[in-house]
Amino acid sequence: MRTRFVVGNWKMNLLRGEALELIEALKSVDAVSHEHVSVVVCPPFTALSTLTEHGLQGIELGAQNCHVSQKGAFTGEVSAEMLRDVGCSYVIVGHSERRRDQHETDAEIGRKALHALQFGLRPIICVGEQLEERQSGMTHEVLHRQISEIIEAAGADVVSKSVIAYEPVWAIGTGLAATTEQAQDAHAAIRAHLDQHAVTHRVPLLYGGSVTAANAAGLFSCPDVDGALVGGASLKAMEFAQIVHAARDSTR
Ligand code: PEP
C-alpha cells in the first residue's frame, strides 16, 4: 500500500499562539497521521520551535524553505541543519512564490534539495507551469525542463528520496484547481520523466493548487496522485481534516 501525504503550507500566516490553536484544533478533529497517511504542516519559521516544544502528536513538521549552505554570512537565511534542530522532518523547496519573488532557479532548488537531505530533511520539491505555458501546450515540456535541471543539480538519488509537488502556478490561491484529468496527465508525465532519469523508486507525487474538501477525493482517486500540498485550506481545521479524511478513505 502506497503512503498518501497531506501537507499544509501555512505560508506567512499565524502568530505562535494562533499556530498552537490550529494544531490543537487539527488534533481534535483527527487531522493527524494514520497508517498509510502522513500529515505534515509547514508553519512559518517563527512558530517551529514553539510547536515542537508543545508536542505535535501525529503531525509532522516541515519548513517552507532552506538555504543551500550549512552556516555563514547569509543574513536572513536558515539552514537545513537549523530546521532539523527545531524538529522539522520536511522542507518545501522551489515553491512558485519563491521562484517568482526570490527568482529561485531549478539549479538552486536542486542544490537546496541535496543540502536538505544531507541534514536529514526530506525535500518537497515544487514544479509547475504558468498559465501561458499551459495555454500554449507547453506543460509537459516545462515539467521536463524543471525536473531535468533539478536532477542535474541534486542527482537522481536525492530526487528518488524526495517528494515532488506538482503545483500549476495558475491554480495556486486562485480557487481554480486543475481537473482530475489535468492533474493525472501532469503526474503521469512527471513519473515517465523520472523513469527516464533512472529514478526507479516510486517518488510520492502531490498535487497542489486550490485543493479543498470538495475536490480532494477526486484528486486522490487519480492513479498517479499520492497526496496534496494544501495552502489556503490548511489554515481551516475542519476543511484540512476533511482533506486528510479523504486521503485516508482513498487508501481503503
Ligand atoms: C500552495 O501555496 O502551495 C498552495 C497550493 O496554495 P492553495 O492551496 O491556496 O492554492
Side-chain angles (χ1 to χ4, degrees), residues 53-73:
E53 281 155 23
H54 177 75
L56 285 144
Q57 289 112 6
I59 300 176
E60 292 182 271
L61 202 58
Q64 299 172 18
N65 176 45
C66 68
H67 194 257
V68 292
S69 304
Q70 187 181 357
K71 59 169 83 159

Side-chain angles (χ1 to χ4, degrees), residues 9 11 95 97 167 171-173 208-211 229-232:
N9 175 13
K11 310 197 188 196
H95 192 281
E97 287 154 12
E167 296 212 307
I172 297 180
S210 298
V211 175
L229 179 52
V230 186

Side-chain angles (χ1 to χ4, degrees), residues 99 104-111 127 145-146 149-150 153:
R99 289 172 180 265
E104 288 189 2
T105 63
D106 290 300
E108 190 179 357
I109 292 159
R111 288 199 299 276
V127 294
R145 192 194 62 233
Q146 291 175 335
E149 289 178 17
I150 290 167

